[in-house]
Amino acid sequence: AGLGYMETYHRDMPFITGLYASLGECYLACGDFAAAREYIDKGRNEVEQFPEIERLKCLKELYAIESSYQSGLGQQELFRLYLDSSLIASSQYEQLTGQHIILLGQQQLQETEIQLKSQQVVRQKNILIFVLVILAVITGAMIITIRLYRRRNSAYRALAEKAKEWAQHKELATED
């Protein structure tokens, strides 16, 4: 019942082909060779459109079921041929998925390296900002210190001038 819905609305053909293979296997186990043949053929018709990895995955299942089908019919030569085809498809699938896993691993490694480099850049940027803020605070403190020193120095000079004037004024007052 769900197969018709999947065929009509979802069109996820690798999944549907897996359902064909499973139904073919079930009908084969029940001894209904005509229905098994129908689902095997449906699966084989769809497989050629798939990407290579999906195609090999489905073919290894379909060839295995086909070999059981031929064995059930008593055709030993075809049984061996489909069994060999299943083994070859399985081997090719394993090689491709192994290469695929290596490529995925390399891609993940590159992504991790990129993330680490971006984190390092962010960290260096934060350190640079921190150093610039510290330098700005130190520069501000130095400017304030220099201004206060100049004020104090000018106030000291003014006081010294007044003391000198006072001393001169006192000298003049004692001479009179």
Side-chain angles (χ1 to χ4, degrees):
L3 181 60
Y5 177 80
M6 292 294 290
E7 290 173 330
T8 305
Y9 297 107
H10 287 287
R11 298 300 298 167
D12 181 5
M13 290 316 293
F15 179 74
I16 293 171
T17 303
L19 291 176
Y20 289 155
S22 297
L23 285 170
E25 195 172 8
C26 288
Y27 281 116
L28 195 60
C30 293
D32 188 351
F33 288 95
R37 175 86 258 157
E38 177 185 347
Y39 282 108
I40 291 170
D41 290 341
K42 278 185 174 182
R44 298 264 313 265
N45 290 336
E46 296 294 333
V47 159
E48 296 307 317
Q49 304 167 16
F50 298 166
E52 189 173 15
I53 290 177
E54 289 292 329
R55 184 171 43 83
L56 287 172
K57 180 181 177 186
C58 291
L59 279 177
K60 72 178 188 167
E61 293 173 15
L62 289 170
Y63 285 150
I65 295 167
E66 182 81 32
S67 69
S68 298
Y69 174 80
Q70 297 299 335
S71 175
L73 293 177
Q75 298 182 359
Q76 295 303 317
E77 187 62 32
L78 288 175
F79 161 73
R80 285 188 203 102
L81 286 174
Y82 280 113
L83 187 59
D84 287 344
S85 296
S86 176
L87 293 173
I88 290 169
S90 180
S91 173
Q92 289 175 345
Y93 175 75
E94 293 300 322
Q95 286 176 350
L96 276 178
T97 54
Q99 291 171 356
H100 183 66
I101 289 170
I102 290 171
L103 289 175
L104 282 176
Q106 288 174 342
Q107 182 180 6
Q108 288 175 349
L109 180 63
Q110 288 174 350
E111 289 173 1
T112 303
E113 287 174 353
I114 289 170
Q115 286 177 350
L116 288 174
K117 285 180 182 178
S118 68
Q119 288 174 353
Q120 186 178 14
V121 166
V122 167
R123 195 176 312 119
Q124 288 174 348
K125 182 181 171 185
N126 289 340
I127 289 171
L128 180 63
I129 290 171
F130 179 73
V131 167
L132 289 175
V133 167
I134 294 297
L135 285 175
V137 168
I138 290 172
T139 304
M142 287 177 65
I143 290 172
I144 291 171
T145 303
I146 290 171
R147 290 187 126 193
L148 289 175
Y149 174 75
R150 285 188 177 172
R151 270 192 190 164
R152 185 175 151 231
N153 200 14
S154 65
Y156 177 75
R157 284 187 190 152
L159 185 60
E161 280 295 319
K162 283 188 182 184
K164 202 186 244 188
E165 283 177 20
W166 179 73
Q168 284 176 356
H169 184 60
K170 198 170 184 181
E171 256 181 43
L172 286 177
T174 42
E175 286 180 12
D176 286 336

